[in-house]
Amino acid sequence: MTPGTVTGKDDAWWRSAVVYQIYPRSFADSDGDGIGDLDGITGRLDHLAELGADVLWLSPVYPSPQDDNGYDISDYQDVDPVFGDLAAFDRLLAAVHGRGMKLIMDLVVNHTSDEHPWFRESRDPGSPKRDWYWWRPPRDGREPNNWGSFFSGPAWTRDPASDAYYLHLFSPKQPDLNWENPEVREAVYAMMRWWLERGVDGFRMDVVNLVSKDPALPDGEPRGDGPYGDGSPSFVCGPRIHEYLREMHREVMARYPGRLLTVGEMPGVTVEQARLFTDPDRAELDMVFQFEHVGLDHGAHKFDPRPLRLTDLKASLGRWQTGLADVGWNSLYWNNHDQPRVVSRFGDDGPRHRTRSATMLATVLHLHRGTPYVYQGEELGMANAPLRTIEDFRDIESLNHYAQALRAGAAPEDVLPGLRAMGRDNARTPMQWDGSPQAGFTTGTPWLPVNPDHTEVNAAAAYADPDSVYHHYRRLIALRHSEPAVVHGDFTMLLPDDERVYAFTRHHGGTTLLVVGNFTGDTVSVDLPGGWEDAELVLGNGPSVPAEDGRAVLAPWEARVHRRVG
């Protein structure tokens, strides 16, 4: 690709957009029941508008038994009473559009709740909906294959009424839909069209690359000494996934040209596969969420954390930048509802360095090529929660892992550190609006305790401090909206072997941006390309240290963006 050029949907509105994810249970509670709701979100939209966000991504608000906090859906075309009703949704949507923003919904169609009418009907072997899910007879009195669930335990649950098993890659209360059945796909597409006609602007598609399974459902290769096999070759980017996504685009998205944003969450996706999914000529998706960079600090499994090596992060993100340079598009994120807080994970959440490390991480991420996603509270520097005992945890993934580890003989004190570092509850503590007893989130008792640090780290304090994390995010987003090189520039990694400093350039037309970030709490000096000594500093996160002997010197957790024209 010629430097500075862009192929594909160069003028697509979502290239220059910033998406803000809201986890409704934890954002803002309008009625004092301790659970966030739609009217609470509507009342806080000015926070997003002032930040500069272009898109609100709404995690599930559909009716749900809440086994997996709303990702187990029992009705796709309504709102759970805990969040409000369709009238409240319409008020929110109108208020979002009234501020010039867009709203995308979470689309969860790999599985439903086991309380969805479709699944209830399918329990009858004679029902026309039996084939809407993956029902199989026992094999030698046991599960039909050796697959394990992402949430621990087997991926199959026996239904005593018919002596058959149903497949669930996640919780037993999340049975997998059988996309081999065209009636299932048409029901999903009809539901999507219903929301789009209501005014929704697109979808974030939950684990969408798992919807195609090898119909043979073969055993997976054994995982070490454990009881389960690795079934992923049969369901990660399965045999008909591209066919299904092209069909979805044709039947749904193509009816709204130029209006929508579609992003597919895709665990296990490779760069090569992502090029196909996001190639505009193939008409599948606009971008994907990949997980490679948020697995770099995992050991044997997610709850076995290890220190991040910066060279690994550069190699990973650099490979995705290069791989999608001429075809496709990247999504950029540190945080979401499934990830621990990045300032605790890759930065320093102590009082001395929290602001600077949070703003450094934001600067490095947002200046990559792609669409940035901000998770609620990230723009405040919210940190991991002080989860001391297992009773402090609420999330099914953490609780199931803890129980399984103890059954295998592990001691609680050996399991809890991994849960504290990587558990999803870290992302789900209530939004910290102010320093009042419940952080301004609710007048009642919150469903998950607020982080005690909210007395210092909160939106009200951030608004008043021009050097806060919040105002740095505002400046980052404003730079994306005003400088074409941020959106359209090519990407060149610098210092790939340096374990302290992340540096790269973006070039578009006659403009080049140099981005540097110190990933340590030490002052470091580094050799940068010549000619940058007097370049314009367009964004920084605090006082800089003068150069020494021609070498750039970076203060602890410092970030800089320089611009050179011509």
Side-chain angles (χ1 to χ4, degrees):
M1 183 176 72
T2 303
T5 64
V6 177
T7 59
K9 298 180 180 177
D10 191 19
D11 59 347
W13 62 266
W14 38 260
R15 285 182 178 264
S16 60
V18 173
V19 183
Y20 187 98
Q21 182 190 0
I22 285 180
Y23 193 70
R25 290 183 70 86
S26 300
F27 192 67
D29 172 24
S30 71
D31 59 11
D33 67 354
I35 300 174
D37 48 48
L38 293 174
D39 284 339
I41 297 170
T42 302
R44 294 288 190 175
L45 285 180
D46 287 344
H47 177 80
L48 277 67
E50 289 295 317
L51 186 66
D54 303 283
V55 183
L56 185 166
W57 154 23
L58 195 64
S59 285
V61 293
Y62 314 95
S64 167
Q66 301 295 325
D67 183 63
D68 186 24
N69 280 359
Y71 283 87
D72 49 316
I73 296 169
S74 56
D75 184 347
Y76 284 115
Q77 291 179 216
D78 203 350
V79 169
D80 195 296
V82 76
F83 299 125
D85 53 24
L86 284 170
F89 178 85
D90 290 341
R91 289 193 296 272
L92 171 61
L93 185 59
V96 168
H97 288 165
R99 287 166 173 79
M101 298 185 292
K102 297 178 182 290
L103 186 150
I104 64 172
M105 297 282 282
D106 228 310
L107 183 77
V108 187
V109 290
N110 174 71
H111 46 263
T112 69
S113 166
D114 67 342
E115 298 182 29
H116 195 291
W118 296 347
F119 185 74
R120 286 177 167 172
E121 290 183 45
S122 83
R123 286 186 182 272
D124 177 359
S127 166
K129 285 192 168 57
R130 183 69 166 183
D131 193 42
W132 282 42
Y133 295 84
W134 295 94
W135 288 96
R136 292 292 185 272
R139 184 180 65 175
D140 300 326
R142 293 182 53 80
E143 292 85 1
N145 67 26
N146 67 355
W147 296 358
S149 160
F150 286 108
F151 286 170
S152 304
W156 296 90
T157 290
R158 178 177 172 269
D159 183 37
S162 61
D163 191 30
Y165 286 82
Y166 65 87
L167 175 68
H168 54 86
L169 294 180
F170 296 90
S171 162
K173 290 188 68 64
Q174 294 171 294
D176 280 45
L177 284 164
N178 177 13
W179 276 61
E180 291 285 314
N181 187 328
E183 293 180 359
V184 169
R185 304 199 301 275
E186 179 46 43
V188 168
Y189 305 155
M191 173 267 291
M192 295 171 70
R193 291 190 292 264
W194 186 86
W195 282 107
L196 294 174
E197 285 301 306
R198 203 170 195 97
V200 167
D201 301 294
F203 298 99
R204 174 266 186 187
M205 303 178 186
D206 187 69
V207 294
V208 73
N209 66 322
L210 308 186
V211 299
S212 172
K213 280 98 172 164
D214 179 347
L217 305 177
D219 277 348
E221 288 293 323
R223 294 180 182 270
D225 297 328
Y228 305 116
D230 178 11
S232 62
S234 297
F235 58 75
V236 172
C237 299
R240 299 181 67 186
I241 184 62
H242 292 289
E243 174 192 343
Y244 292 160
L245 290 177
R246 284 194 296 270
E247 180 183 73
M248 177 189 289
H249 188 279
R250 183 174 66 250
E251 295 298 319
V252 183
M253 272 72 79
R255 303 184 184 197
Y256 307 89
R259 175 183 142 192
L260 307 180
L261 166 63
T262 59
V263 53
E265 182 197 32
M266 294 193 169
V269 71
T270 66
V271 173
E272 293 73 25
Q273 291 165 337
R275 284 174 60 90
L276 299 177
F277 287 123
T278 64
D279 181 347
D281 292 336
R282 293 173 59 87
E284 296 185 28
L285 297 171
D286 295 324
M287 62 191 91
V288 304
F289 285 132
Q290 55 92 3
F291 287 67
E292 186 177 296
H293 68 298
V294 292
L296 297 174
D297 58 345
H298 296 177
H301 52 78
K302 172 179 176 174
F303 295 109
D304 176 30
R306 64 183 184 185
L308 174 73
R309 293 182 65 225
L310 186 60
T311 49
D312 291 343
L313 182 66
K314 294 179 190 178
S316 174
L317 294 182
R319 181 165 54 252
W320 281 86
Q321 290 287 296
T322 300
L324 300 186
D326 58 337
V327 173
W329 193 248
N330 278 288
S331 59
L332 310 171
Y333 75 96
W334 292 130
N335 286 119
N336 59 40
H337 62 289
D338 287 334
Q339 301 295 331
R341 293 288 183 175
V342 71
V343 71
S344 301
R345 185 180 193 178
F346 297 153
D348 182 343
D349 61 11
R352 183 181 178 191
H353 292 309
R354 184 195 301 233
T355 295
R356 205 146 198 200
S357 65
T359 52
M360 183 281 294
L361 288 162
T363 303
V364 168
L365 184 77
H366 281 236
L367 268 292
H368 280 74
R369 186 170 180 267
T371 296
Y373 289 72
V374 178
Y375 179 69
Q376 64 183 48
E378 179 184 338
E379 76 282 12
L380 305 178
M382 281 181 61
N384 280 357
L387 302 165
R388 295 181 177 86
T389 70
I390 194 61
E391 286 73 27
D392 293 329
F393 291 83
R394 301 286 187 276
D395 179 52
I396 185 174
E397 182 185 36
S398 294
L399 295 174
N400 285 358
H401 174 78
Y402 180 84
Q404 179 173 284
L406 264 59
R407 284 195 300 270
E413 60 269 23
D414 294 330
V415 181
L416 284 169
L419 298 186
R420 293 185 189 116
M422 306 303 290
R424 301 193 300 181
D425 288 302
N426 286 305
R428 301 175 182 186
T429 56
M431 182 72 171
Q432 294 167 202
W433 294 108
D434 58 40
S436 64
Q438 302 301 350
F441 164 71
T442 182
T443 58
T445 301
W447 74 278
L448 194 63
V450 299
N451 194 318
D453 70 8
H454 75 276
T455 53
E456 289 83 33
V457 180
N458 60 70
Y463 298 155
D465 179 2
D467 296 321
S468 68
V469 179
Y470 175 81
H471 285 298
H472 188 83
Y473 269 79
R474 288 186 65 206
R475 291 186 283 270
L476 264 177
I477 293 170
L479 181 62
R480 163 169 293 273
H481 290 157
S482 64
E483 172 52 71
V486 178
V487 178
H488 302 299
D490 63 10
F491 178 96
T492 302
M493 185 72 77
L494 307 175
L495 309 176
D497 300 321
D498 195 304
E499 290 288 359
R500 307 160 302 162
V501 175
Y502 199 124
F504 56 90
T505 59
R506 303 289 311 283
H507 179 77
H508 176 70
T511 298
T512 304
L513 302 176
L514 170 68
V515 183
V516 292
N518 179 3
F519 268 70
T520 77
D522 301 318
T523 299
V524 300
S525 60
V526 65
D527 289 315
L528 292 173
W532 285 100
E533 297 80 3
D534 300 318
E536 175 191 11
L537 178 66
V538 293
L539 188 65
N541 68 343
S544 293
V545 181
E548 292 180 354
D549 301 325
R551 306 187 85 211
V553 180
L554 298 174
W557 301 106
E558 183 180 358
R560 301 181 199 167
V561 182
H562 292 275
R563 177 166 53 202
R564 190 169 61 194
V565 179

